[in-house]
């Protein structure tokens, strides 16, 4: 019975990603259907947190309820809902089932139900089968019987998260499950998970934070995350692009000026520090500040006072500073372009953001996120990646990081629509449309090259299989925080066999 598989998960502490993935896999086997998806409600949208039977990028997508009437119907009612095969409502998974990639769904059965935890809406569960009649009255009754157990698993997962994060998690975050943490940051790689865990601790303090990283990694997004998870979240977050400040006006922009301070100063004017009082000031590209402004910023960091240009008396301000740069400020200090004392003041807590090439399968989740944005923006029925496009994304080095990925997906979507011409078609982006080098080699964690995918070239099957095995083992380890025993359970392997396989693949 299905209860024999799920009941142990109620009393065993498991990472949320594993428990929820086991849930959808067991449900798929129980109902003998094609796809099972668990979606969490988040601001008038649903985000998949566990799925089986869908393409890999599905977990990075966001399904707006206003655009998906089937999901809206499920979330609006408590009872189990079945959609007939001839339903005229568009299916949110058109082109996303891994059994029918890039094609309209054939006649099929759909069933789903809204999920609640402690009386509050949590999300929905959907089941899809390609064979009409799969979800008969018996299947509906079986799902009704399992509903308390499913919601119990969600409740246990939430309680475990609250227990682990009791000291640092604010009340409005305690309803979130790991995987989709209501932060707008897409990804569940080990690098991102560890970074967010670290930021959740520093967010509660007033320490000055210096976010570093390559261009395009999303430093601004992490600055917003820090502010939103800090005690200052209800106060202003003021952002300043230091690179865009004219040198002659930089001091006035930051600290303000009084009437008559310079030609054209016809009245007193508050600066960005005044605007951020009580909240957070985000200094983006802080390495571009002129040296004379750096000196004044240092005094503010030291004594919490600003002095408007032309004023005699300083003003007290209560502002937390988050700075960001893609420069190596230590090198700038050595060259004399940046003050050493200010550098040390800003880097009280340095936060390096990992480049996209170090985030593994996150590239597909981010691609799914951008695909869904472009699907809605272009008004097309379905937008997905072909298998060769997925491999090309995984193999590419991404020198422009997440920003480059966003532009690549947007360009490819427009090209695909132009080539097909119909917004009702199932648009599939192949590797050629991505306009990136598809023969590049991606390095595994064992510093061994994965098999490159070259259009029109057949690779030895052994190399392809080994590359796939390496990727799945890395994903399982990331989901289980490098717990090899838990990873073996997730991969449905004996632990000793997993260790042997990992050694053979060069992962150990």
């Amino acid at each position: 019975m299905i209860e024999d598989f799920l009941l142990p998960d109620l009393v065993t502490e498991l990472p949320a990603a594993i428990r929820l993935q086991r849930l959808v896999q067991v449900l798929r086997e129980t109902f003998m259907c094609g796809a099972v998806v668990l979606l969490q409600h988040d601001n008038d949208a649903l985000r998949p947190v566990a799925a089986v039977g869908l393409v890999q990028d599905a977990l990075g997508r966001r399904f707006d309820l206003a655009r998906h009437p089937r999901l809206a119907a499920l979330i609006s009612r408590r009872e189990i809902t079945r959609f007939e095969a001839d339903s005229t409502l568009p299916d949110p998974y058109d082109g996303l089932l891994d059994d029918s990639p890039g094609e309209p769904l054939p006649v099929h059965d759909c069933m789903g139900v809204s999920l609640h935890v402690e009386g509050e809406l949590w999300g929905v569960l959907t089941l899809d089968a390609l064979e009409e009649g799969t979800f008969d009255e018996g299947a509906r009754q079986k799902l009704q019987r399992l509903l308390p157990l499913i919601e119990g698993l969600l409740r246990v997962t939430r309680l475990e998260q609250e227990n682990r994060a009791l000291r640092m998690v604010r009340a409005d975050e305690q309803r979130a499950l790991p995987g989709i943490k209501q932060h707008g940051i897409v990804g569940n790689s080990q690098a991102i998970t560890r970074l967010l865990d670290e930021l959740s601790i520093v967010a509660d303090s007033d320490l000055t934070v210096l976010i570093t990283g390559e261009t395009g990694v999303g430093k601004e997004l992490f600055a917003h995350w820090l502010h939103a998870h800090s005690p200052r979240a209800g106060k202003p977050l003021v952002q300043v692009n230091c690179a865009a400040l004219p040198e002659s006006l930089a001091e006035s922009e930051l600290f303000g000026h009084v009437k008559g301070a310079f030609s054209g100063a016809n009245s007193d004017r508050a600066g960005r520090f005044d605007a951020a009082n009580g909240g957070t000031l985000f200094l983006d590209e802080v390495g571009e500040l002129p040296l004379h402004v750096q000196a004044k910023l240092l005094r503010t960091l030291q004594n919490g006072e600003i002095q408007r240009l032309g004023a005699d008396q300083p003003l007290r301000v209560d502002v937390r500073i988050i700075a960001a740069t893609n420069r190596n400020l230590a090198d700038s200090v050595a060259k004399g372009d940046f003050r050493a004392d200010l550098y040390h003041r800003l880097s009280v807590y340095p936060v390096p953001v990992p480049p996209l090439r170090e985030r593994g399968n996150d590239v597909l989740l981010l691609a799914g996120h951008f695909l869904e944005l472009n699907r809605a923006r272009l008004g097309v029925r379905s937008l997905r990646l072909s298998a060769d496009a997925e491999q090309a994304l995984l193999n590419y080095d991404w020198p422009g990081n997440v920003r480059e990925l966003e532009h690549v997906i947007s360009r490819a979507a427009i090209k695909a629509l132009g080539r097909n011409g119909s917004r009702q078609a199932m648009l599939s982006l192949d590797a050629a449309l991505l306009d990136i080098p598809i023969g590049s080699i991606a390095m595994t964690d064992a510093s061994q090259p994965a098999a490159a995918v070259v259009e029109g070239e057949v690779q030895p099957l052994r190399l392809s299989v080994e590359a796939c095995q390496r990727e799945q083992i890395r994903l399982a380890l990331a989901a289980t925080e490098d717990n090899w025993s838990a990873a073996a359970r997730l991969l449905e392997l004996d632990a000793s066999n997993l260790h042997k396989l990992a050694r053979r693949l060069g992962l150990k």
Side-chain angles (χ1 to χ4, degrees):
M1 294 178 64
I2 182 174
E3 290 89 341
D4 296 332
F5 292 96
L6 295 181
L7 281 174
D9 288 352
L10 283 170
V11 296
T12 304
E13 184 170 353
L14 293 170
I18 292 181
R19 177 181 286 115
L20 300 183
Q21 191 62 31
R22 282 163 59 103
L23 170 62
V24 295
Q25 288 172 339
V26 170
L27 288 174
R28 184 192 196 185
E29 295 167 3
T30 300
F31 289 92
M32 293 181 290
C33 57
V36 179
V37 187
L38 193 63
L39 304 103
Q40 186 174 4
H41 185 242
D42 178 17
N43 293 330
D44 297 324
L46 289 169
R47 295 180 181 272
V49 296
V52 60
L54 295 189
V55 295
Q56 292 188 68
D57 63 63
L59 290 181
R61 295 182 180 244
R62 181 179 187 273
F63 297 95
D64 290 325
L65 293 172
R67 300 178 183 274
H68 294 287
R70 289 201 191 204
L71 296 178
L74 290 178
I75 212 165
S76 66
R77 59 188 71 154
R78 191 69 178 96
E79 66 272 12
I80 295 170
T81 302
R82 177 176 177 266
F83 297 98
E84 301 291 342
D86 59 354
S87 172
T88 59
L89 296 178
D91 194 296
Y93 307 138
D94 261 351
L96 299 183
L97 290 189
D98 58 8
D99 286 338
S100 56
E103 301 174 1
L105 291 182
V107 173
H108 68 298
D109 247 10
C110 302
M111 180 171 66
V113 64
S114 61
L115 300 171
H116 293 72
V117 174
E118 296 179 356
E120 296 182 1
L121 176 67
W122 184 90
V124 301
L125 173 72
T126 64
L127 300 92
D128 285 80
L130 297 182
E131 183 178 345
E132 184 180 0
T134 300
F135 303 129
D136 54 14
E137 179 59 23
R140 193 196 67 80
Q141 292 179 4
K142 183 186 293 185
L143 182 57
Q144 185 67 53
R145 176 170 53 85
L146 292 173
L147 196 55
L149 181 56
I150 294 170
E151 293 180 335
L153 285 171
L154 297 177
R155 186 179 302 110
V156 168
T157 304
R158 193 182 83 176
L159 288 173
E160 286 180 356
Q161 182 199 13
E162 291 174 352
N163 289 336
R164 288 193 300 268
L166 186 60
R167 186 177 63 83
M168 66 189 73
V169 178
R170 299 167 55 210
D172 62 343
E173 293 173 310
Q174 292 178 347
R175 289 188 293 272
L177 289 175
I180 298 297
K181 300 182 181 177
Q182 295 181 344
H183 48 47
I185 297 173
V186 176
N188 56 17
S189 63
Q190 191 171 14
I192 289 300
T193 300
R194 286 178 174 173
L195 176 58
L196 292 178
D197 287 343
E198 185 178 0
L199 290 181
S200 65
I201 298 174
V202 73
D204 276 346
S205 72
D206 263 347
L207 292 178
T208 300
V209 175
L210 178 63
I211 302 176
T212 61
E214 299 175 7
T215 297
V217 294
K219 296 184 289 293
E220 178 183 341
L221 190 60
F222 287 96
H224 281 260
W225 191 97
L226 264 174
H227 174 74
H229 291 72
S230 75
R232 298 174 180 263
K235 299 294 184 178
L237 170 64
V238 177
Q239 181 171 340
V240 180
N241 184 348
C242 299
L245 291 178
E247 184 171 348
S248 59
L249 297 178
E251 184 176 353
S252 173
E253 282 293 318
L254 287 175
F255 305 104
H257 62 255
V258 297
K259 182 179 179 179
F262 53 85
S263 178
N266 299 321
S267 61
D268 290 355
R269 182 180 184 275
R272 304 296 180 90
F273 271 94
D274 293 276
N277 197 21
T280 304
L281 182 64
F282 174 43
L283 300 175
D284 198 9
E285 302 299 343
V286 69
E288 307 298 328
L289 280 178
L291 283 169
H292 74 279
V293 179
Q294 292 178 29
K296 198 161 185 177
L297 176 60
L298 175 64
R299 289 196 297 272
T300 300
L301 290 174
Q302 288 173 333
N303 55 32
E305 294 179 342
I306 63 171
Q307 190 159 358
R308 291 180 180 173
L309 193 61
D312 296 326
Q313 297 297 322
L315 299 173
R316 295 289 302 176
V317 290
D318 174 23
V319 174
R320 183 189 191 173
I321 298 293
I322 300 175
T325 182
N326 59 9
R327 283 189 178 191
N328 186 325
L329 289 188
D331 288 347
S332 297
V333 169
K335 295 175 183 177
D337 296 331
F338 202 84
R339 294 180 61 106
D341 44 9
L342 178 59
Y343 168 61
H344 293 302
R345 280 281 181 177
L346 289 175
S347 58
V348 172
Y349 200 95
V351 175
V353 178
L356 184 54
R357 61 181 171 276
E358 296 178 5
R359 293 177 55 180
N361 212 51
D362 278 0
V363 66
L364 294 183
L365 301 189
L366 287 160
H369 173 71
F370 295 133
L371 284 168
E372 189 62 25
L373 289 178
N374 280 279
R375 187 201 64 77
R377 185 182 300 134
L378 298 175
V380 299
R381 178 180 175 183
S382 178
L383 198 59
R384 59 151 291 155
L385 297 170
S386 65
D388 66 336
E390 289 183 350
Q391 194 62 50
L393 294 180
L394 289 170
N395 286 348
Y396 186 50
D397 200 41
W398 298 110
N401 292 291
V402 179
R403 184 180 299 130
E404 182 183 8
L405 173 62
E406 179 180 10
H407 295 163
V408 163
I409 295 296
S410 298
R411 286 196 304 268
I414 294 173
K415 290 178 184 178
L417 179 59
R419 184 173 65 181
N420 187 279
S422 172
R423 297 183 189 274
Q424 293 305 310
M426 314 291 292
L427 301 183
S428 182
L429 310 186
D430 55 38
L433 283 176
L434 297 177
D435 196 25
I436 59 175
I438 61 175
S440 55
I441 301 295
M443 301 304 291
T444 68
D445 287 350
S447 298
Q448 297 183 1
V453 176
V454 180
E455 191 170 16
E457 180 180 338
V458 177
Q459 298 293 322
L461 184 60
R462 177 182 60 81
L463 294 180
S464 298
V465 171
E466 289 180 351
C468 179
Q469 289 174 325
R470 288 190 188 96
E471 178 64 12
Q472 291 304 310
I473 292 173
R474 289 201 307 272
L475 291 175
L477 289 172
T480 60
E481 299 178 352
D482 286 334
N483 185 316
W484 284 85
S485 297
R489 290 194 296 270
L490 186 61
L491 293 166
E492 299 182 1
L493 289 175
D494 180 80
S496 62
N497 289 339
L498 175 59
H499 287 292
K500 293 176 183 176
L501 178 61
R503 281 191 290 271
R504 181 171 66 80
L505 297 173
L507 295 175
K508 293 193 68 178

